[in-house]
Amino acid sequence: MTRVRKQFLIHIFALIVSLRGRINFLNMERQGTYSEKSYRLHFEKPFDHFAFNKHLIETYCSGQKIIATDCSYIPKSGKETPHIGKFWSGCASKALKGLEISSLAVIDVDNNTGMHLECKQTPENLNDEESRVDFYLQQVIEKKDELKQLADYIVADGAYAKQKYVDGLLEKTELHLISKLRKDADLTYLYTGEISKGKGRRKQYDGKMNCKQIDKSRFELCCIDEDSYVYTAVVRSKFLKRNIRIAYVGIERTIHIQFCSNRYQTWWRLYISIL
């Protein structure tokens, strides 16, 4: 990398943070030190953002890290913008017209912070053989070796807990997925009793699991602190067609209600770790 290129990158990183209004070449010329043509020419040159961000993460983050992935909706009107379409907006709880990016980040557990790693724009029109889930999965597969160097676990929300994504991640990478289940997830306890010596297939399952009221005798208390406790067990997931380890988290919180005395409520969250 040349000295001129390094000076421009240092300048553009500081400019984007302090820029007022829209981030475009014309506004950069008004508030920056380069001409509009210079900004355009520099942006046409390739730059490995993933390697740059990875180097920053390895330099400033602790050893306790996990990878996070999620999609973000960006409102955008017009007809000429590439890949404009309808994407899910979590804030509006519905699909809206605009753009979407699929992001990868690294969470520093010890320092309680996160650093951006990479993002790609989600295509609007995909062929019949490829869905958006395939696109999200391919983004991880392309960087599987570099991601493995950063962490062993990738965390995603319930939208990624699909068989196609889970199978592809476990078969083509060395990463382990931690995700969230739906409230109506179909889970079955594994049979751990004595095995009969008679003929026939051995018993594998031992009843359906009630996610709203777990049988704690089938779970193991693996973690407890001042305000939460975690139970874990290996169960069978019907929709994923595999055994998964689930973590059942109970959180004790004090809720202050006006004109009422304090009340204690327990909030339960169900997470899964794909085996």
Side-chain angles (χ1 to χ4, degrees):
M1 184 181 294
T2 63
R3 181 176 59 86
V4 174
R5 182 66 169 170
K6 289 181 180 179
Q7 291 178 348
F8 174 80
L9 292 175
I10 295 173
H11 164 73
I12 200 65
F13 291 152
L15 178 63
I16 290 178
V17 174
S18 59
L19 195 65
R20 294 182 178 181
R22 294 180 177 273
I23 301 178
N24 53 38
F25 297 126
L26 184 60
N27 206 17
M28 287 180 184
E29 181 185 30
R30 292 168 180 166
Q31 304 183 40
T33 58
Y34 292 81
S35 66
E36 180 183 357
K37 183 178 181 181
S38 296
Y39 285 113
R40 292 182 181 275
L41 292 176
H42 274 286
F43 270 84
E44 289 178 358
K45 298 178 181 180
F47 180 73
D48 193 347
H49 292 88
F50 185 92
F52 178 78
N53 293 331
K54 181 174 178 288
H55 176 71
L56 291 177
I57 291 170
E58 292 174 338
T59 304
Y60 295 102
C61 289
S62 67
Q64 289 289 102
K65 299 186 292 290
I66 56 176
I67 302 165
T69 181
D70 200 4
C71 295
S72 180
Y73 165 78
I74 301 175
K76 179 68 176 178
S77 59
K79 299 181 180 179
E80 303 299 329
T81 305
H83 302 300
I84 192 169
K86 281 199 169 184
F87 298 96
W88 180 260
S89 170
C91 296
S93 297
K94 61 181 180 180
L96 298 175
K97 183 181 179 181
L99 305 175
E100 183 187 75
I101 57 172
S102 177
S103 301
L104 292 173
V106 171
I107 309 300
D108 188 343
V109 179
D110 290 341
N111 296 326
N112 195 25
T113 187
M115 297 185 68
H116 174 74
L117 189 59
E118 183 190 52
C119 72
K120 286 188 175 182
Q121 184 177 353
T122 305
E124 191 274 328
N125 292 321
L126 296 171
N127 53 44
D128 297 336
E129 298 179 357
E130 183 181 8
S131 64
R132 290 178 182 175
V133 176
D134 296 312
F135 173 78
Y136 306 147
L137 176 62
Q138 188 62 32
Q139 183 184 14
V140 178
I141 294 176
E142 289 177 356
K143 303 294 185 179
K144 61 180 180 179
D145 296 332
E146 293 86 348
L147 295 176
K148 180 63 177 178
Q149 296 173 4
L150 295 172
D152 295 327
Y153 293 89
I154 182 169
V155 181
D157 61 16
Y160 293 80
K162 295 179 172 61
Q163 184 182 4
K164 180 185 291 187
Y165 189 87
V166 172
D167 291 346
L169 189 71
L170 297 181
E171 292 173 2
K172 298 181 181 181
T173 72
E174 297 181 4
L175 298 172
H176 303 280
L177 174 66
I178 300 176
S179 185
K180 186 179 180 181
L181 289 177
R182 292 176 43 157
K183 296 180 180 179
D184 59 347
D186 192 351
L187 304 175
T188 306
Y189 291 110
L190 300 181
Y191 180 73
T192 57
E194 296 182 358
I195 300 176
S196 59
K197 298 181 180 180
K199 295 181 179 180
R201 184 180 181 182
R202 295 180 179 180
K203 187 175 181 180
Q204 293 181 301
Y205 310 117
D206 193 18
K208 187 174 180 178
M209 173 183 164
N210 184 1
C211 296
K212 296 182 179 179
Q213 187 175 3
I214 67 170
D215 184 359
K216 293 184 180 179
S217 63
R218 300 174 183 264
F219 282 72
E220 176 186 355
L221 182 62
C222 65
C223 180
I224 186 170
D225 54 27
E226 296 179 356
D227 58 355
S228 65
Y229 41 92
V230 181
Y231 290 90
T232 182
V234 178
V235 297
R236 180 71 177 183
S237 173
K238 185 176 181 180
F239 71 98
L240 292 178
K241 298 181 181 179
R242 64 171 62 241
N243 294 344
I244 61 174
R245 177 173 292 278
I246 63 173
Y248 205 82
V249 184
I251 303 176
E252 294 286 353
R253 290 182 179 176
T254 304
I255 300 179
H256 300 278
I257 303 177
Q258 191 175 8
F259 306 116
C260 297
S261 59
N262 296 343
R263 297 181 180 180
Y264 294 90
Q265 296 187 3
T266 302
W267 300 82
W268 296 93
R269 296 177 182 175
L270 187 61
Y271 298 90
I272 62 171
S273 177
I274 308 299
L275 300 178

